[in-house]
Amino acid sequence: MKQRFLTVSSFLLCITCSVEATAQQSPTLHIGVKAGINSTKVSSESSNLEGKYGFGYQAGIMTRMDFSKLYVQGEILFNKRKASYDLKDESSAKMKWNSIDLPVVVGYKIINNKDFNVRAFAGGVYSYAFNENTSAVKSFQDSFKKFDKFNVGITGGIGIDYKNFTMDFRYETGLTSISKEFKSKPHSFSLGIGYFLF
């Protein structure tokens, strides 16, 4: 819990400093919707498990505060995630779960035109998992009954904007384990397409 608090606090401090540095400019607020796909793998320190990526999807809403080339973007996303393991005895395990993710990123527009932008961004994400389901041998299922519903992670990526349309490609990794017994952390790539309503 202390680690989570320090991580979130440091991230919020970075955002605050970035916003204060551009406070002289008039910010512009945008609100929109987005949807996309994700590919998730759950790593493990156990030598008996080899994680593999599985495909899922996401959808939600987003807000962006523009400060000229700098911006802050927050999202509320529903994610359907899937992953799998190959076990040492040649059996396999499949995992799937839903999550509500709250990413907040600070970005910089490398190309900043009226109708076209190229961006790079990084930030943090807080996730709450639910409806988790594991298909595997009983010992594996019992271990994942300790599935931690709360996860803090970091994310970063690149994106482009064309008028009101936006597209992001990002990588996300967990800082905390979703299974304390296997010390399993989620890693995912996602491609999202959105539209700013204004």
Side-chain angles (χ1 to χ4, degrees):
M1 184 62 69
K2 184 177 179 181
Q3 180 186 7
R4 295 180 186 176
F5 177 76
L6 290 174
T7 301
V8 174
S9 298
S10 299
F11 175 64
L12 291 176
L13 179 61
C14 290
I15 292 178
T16 301
C17 292
S18 298
V19 172
E20 287 180 353
T22 55
Q24 301 297 330
Q25 305 172 26
S26 299
T28 304
L29 176 66
H30 305 282
I31 298 177
V33 294
K34 70 177 297 185
I37 58 173
N38 62 57
S39 179
T40 304
K41 179 176 79 170
V42 181
S43 65
S44 174
E45 295 182 6
S46 172
S47 59
N48 295 324
L49 301 172
E50 180 183 352
K52 291 192 172 183
Y53 283 97
F55 286 96
Y57 59 86
Q58 62 178 210
I61 60 175
M62 57 184 177
T63 63
R64 182 186 294 176
M65 186 75 73
D66 278 319
F67 300 88
S68 186
K69 286 192 172 184
L70 188 70
Y71 70 92
V72 178
Q73 183 165 315
E75 301 169 358
I76 302 176
L77 299 175
F78 169 82
N79 269 285
K80 181 74 173 183
R81 298 189 183 275
K82 296 180 181 180
S84 64
Y85 280 114
D86 283 343
L87 281 67
K88 196 172 183 179
D89 62 3
E90 298 186 355
S91 61
S92 63
K94 294 182 180 180
M95 300 173 58
K96 58 182 179 179
W97 70 97
N98 300 333
S99 68
I100 299 297
D101 294 351
L102 304 174
V104 179
V105 301
V106 175
Y108 180 80
K109 297 174 184 177
I110 303 167
I111 298 176
N112 183 28
N113 293 326
K114 180 181 178 181
D115 291 331
F116 180 75
N117 301 316
V118 176
R119 304 171 282 104
F121 57 87
V125 55
Y126 182 81
S127 298
Y128 175 76
F130 59 100
N131 287 352
E132 66 274 8
N133 186 15
T134 304
S135 172
V137 294
K138 187 176 185 303
S139 59
F140 190 88
Q141 292 175 333
D142 290 343
S143 296
F144 268 87
K145 286 180 180 177
K146 301 174 183 178
F147 199 101
D148 192 344
K149 295 182 181 296
F150 300 96
N151 191 268
V152 175
I154 55 175
T155 185
I158 57 175
I160 60 173
D161 303 322
Y162 178 69
K163 294 187 176 179
N164 285 27
F165 291 94
T166 182
M167 182 171 66
D168 286 344
F169 178 76
R170 65 180 64 179
Y171 172 73
E172 178 183 321
T173 183
L175 297 177
T176 52
S177 298
I178 61 173
S179 170
K180 293 181 173 61
E181 182 163 335
F182 288 137
K183 296 183 179 178
S184 302
K185 295 180 180 180
H187 307 269
S188 68
F189 293 92
S190 65
L191 178 65
I193 298 176
Y195 183 81
F196 285 109
L197 303 175
F198 61 87

